[in-house]
Amino acid sequence: MGTTLSRRGLLSLGLGVGTGTLLAACGSGESPGAAGNTRIVARCWGGVWETALRKISPGFTAATGVEVLNDPGSDTLPLLQQKPGQYDLAWLIGSEAARGVTSGVLEPIDTSRIEQWDSIVKRLTEGQTRDGRVSAVPISYTASGILYKTDKVPFRITSWTDLWRPELKGQLALQNAPSIGGLFLVFIGARLFGNGPADYEAGWAALERLKDNIQFLFTTSTDGVNKLAAGSVAAVVTIADQGIPLKSRGVETVVPAEGSTWSVQNLTIPAAAKNKDQAYDFINYMLKDETQVQWAREGKAAPGSTTVRLPADLAANLVETPQIADRLWPIDWYEFGDNITEWTTRWQRIFSR
């Protein structure tokens, strides 16, 4: 195995592809939704997600006759606002989906139209519901974990509190804000050292104390894993699944027993979407057991549905068992979305000193 790993590069907020794919796909002059609504346009992430969707979408077309044009890129919320009616679906993380509903760019999900709604992992849906309005439909998720090199860490890591141990001074890599992987440390610090999960001041104080242990802040999730694999850092906080392929290289993967934060891969519906019926059809297709298996295999993320039974070879490469799902900490993505700008500024003040 080489030193560069690329199995999942774009879970961070920094996704940088333009709209060229969409423009090329629409070059025939036929507008989305024309010809009896036989086409829907979805804004998606690039990299592994776009590749996965290119393999999965033809199955939906074969079943329904509706073509899916997947347009990869970043800055999705501003784009939906600038180009109303261009997109029928958008893939968004939890905080962005919440911000979209709050701003009116997205339509609250009509859960009565989601056939598998009651089968989705409850923690994923609870965190995306406020005042009865649901911001998104979770298709898959990933748990956060600690990956560490056993030959560089002189103790066995079992808890989030271990990150603060002096033996890790200058040996830790974290994801940089505004990516949610880094800001999660405020949540973790509040739980470990405060009066409860909402004691964010205790979380910020804990982050200040953790700073001496942090050597490297990364933007793309694979950057931290590459540093770990090369031995440049001893431990990294990132998507837990990324550690599994590195076990033979002395990397242990830990999802602490006290619980964990998580990221979610959501489908959302823009308020100005022209083909909402077909959009709901696609969401239901993505939640079918067989599609969930395919998505888990191609997208390297755990199924959002609890009815799915993964093949053994696939399950072996994902840490998110039902037991892990039960230990996911509650996250209010609306609160996260409301505060992410202020929290990013505070984060940058800490790490610019």
Side-chain angles (χ1 to χ4, degrees):
M1 181 182 292
T3 59
T4 299
L5 305 174
S6 59
R7 70 187 287 264
R8 186 193 348 244
L10 293 166
L11 262 181
S12 67
L13 298 179
L15 307 172
V17 186
T19 56
T21 302
L22 172 62
L23 295 176
C26 295
S28 64
E30 181 182 356
S31 62
N37 295 339
T38 59
R39 173 182 292 171
I40 57 175
V41 181
R43 184 68 169 176
C44 68
W45 300 302
V48 67
W49 308 109
E50 179 192 5
T51 301
L53 287 167
R54 287 186 182 279
K55 294 180 179 180
I56 290 172
S57 297
F60 174 74
T61 301
T64 65
V66 177
E67 180 185 6
V68 183
L69 299 181
N70 293 299
D71 173 34
S74 60
D75 296 324
T76 292
L77 268 184
L79 185 63
L80 297 179
Q81 192 168 25
Q82 295 162 11
K83 299 181 180 294
Q86 178 164 305
Y87 296 95
D88 302 297
L89 285 165
W91 289 87
L92 291 170
I93 61 173
S95 56
E96 293 291 278
R99 290 174 61 199
V101 167
T102 300
S103 65
V105 175
L106 298 179
E107 173 177 287
I109 296 296
D110 180 354
T111 59
S112 70
R113 302 186 66 174
I114 308 301
E115 296 167 2
Q116 292 285 92
W117 182 255
D118 290 337
S119 298
I120 297 174
V121 175
K122 294 302 180 189
R123 188 67 80 204
L124 309 184
T125 57
E126 290 167 352
Q128 303 191 93
T129 305
R130 174 183 282 183
D131 299 328
R133 298 198 306 170
V134 177
S135 56
V137 181
I139 302 300
S140 58
Y141 76 99
T142 51
S144 304
I146 305 168
L147 282 53
Y148 72 100
K149 293 271 285 185
T150 55
D151 62 344
K152 293 180 70 69
V153 177
F155 61 92
R156 183 167 173 257
I157 292 179
T158 60
S159 168
W160 291 109
T161 59
D162 290 331
L163 297 178
W164 277 260
R165 289 180 56 160
E167 296 97 320
L168 288 180
K169 184 176 181 178
Q171 291 294 323
L172 182 61
L174 296 182
Q175 193 168 36
N176 203 6
S179 297
I180 57 178
L183 290 172
F184 278 156
L185 266 295
V186 179
F187 286 68
I188 292 168
R191 283 182 169 271
L192 297 180
F193 305 108
N195 295 318
D199 190 356
Y200 298 132
E201 286 307 312
W204 286 109
L207 191 64
E208 290 268 14
R209 296 195 301 275
L210 185 66
K211 191 167 79 165
D212 285 347
N213 285 7
I214 300 171
Q215 179 202 127
F216 177 63
L217 294 173
F218 55 90
T219 300
T220 303
S221 62
T222 49
D223 290 344
V225 177
N226 290 336
K227 284 272 190 181
L228 181 69
S232 300
V233 296
V236 59
V237 177
T238 189
I239 303 156
D241 296 329
Q242 290 186 319
I244 294 176
L246 297 176
K247 187 171 181 60
S248 63
R249 301 174 67 177
V251 171
E252 285 294 322
T253 300
V254 179
V255 179
E258 63 253 87
S260 183
T261 55
W262 44 278
S263 299
V264 62
Q265 296 80 53
N266 287 313
L267 274 172
T268 66
I269 298 181
K274 296 177 180 177
N275 301 307
K276 293 178 182 177
D277 289 343
Q278 289 77 13
Y280 275 105
D281 287 343
F282 185 76
I283 292 173
N284 284 320
Y285 180 79
M286 287 299 301
L287 288 172
K288 289 182 177 295
D289 284 4
E290 57 270 27
T291 314
Q292 287 273 281
V293 171
Q294 187 179 8
W295 177 248
R297 188 176 297 281
E298 302 294 343
K300 309 296 189 297
S305 173
T306 60
T307 64
V308 180
R309 296 295 177 265
L310 295 177
D313 68 311
L314 182 51
N317 286 295
L318 296 171
V319 303
E320 294 88 356
T321 63
Q323 292 74 29
I324 295 292
D326 288 341
R327 298 208 308 262
L328 298 177
W329 283 333
I331 298 176
D332 183 342
W333 289 106
Y334 285 89
E335 180 184 40
F336 210 129
D338 291 343
N339 289 286
I340 193 168
T341 300
E342 177 188 343
W343 288 349
T344 298
T345 299
R346 190 166 180 176
W347 172 284
Q348 290 169 345
R349 283 201 300 265
I350 291 173
F351 289 104
S352 64
R353 295 200 297 268

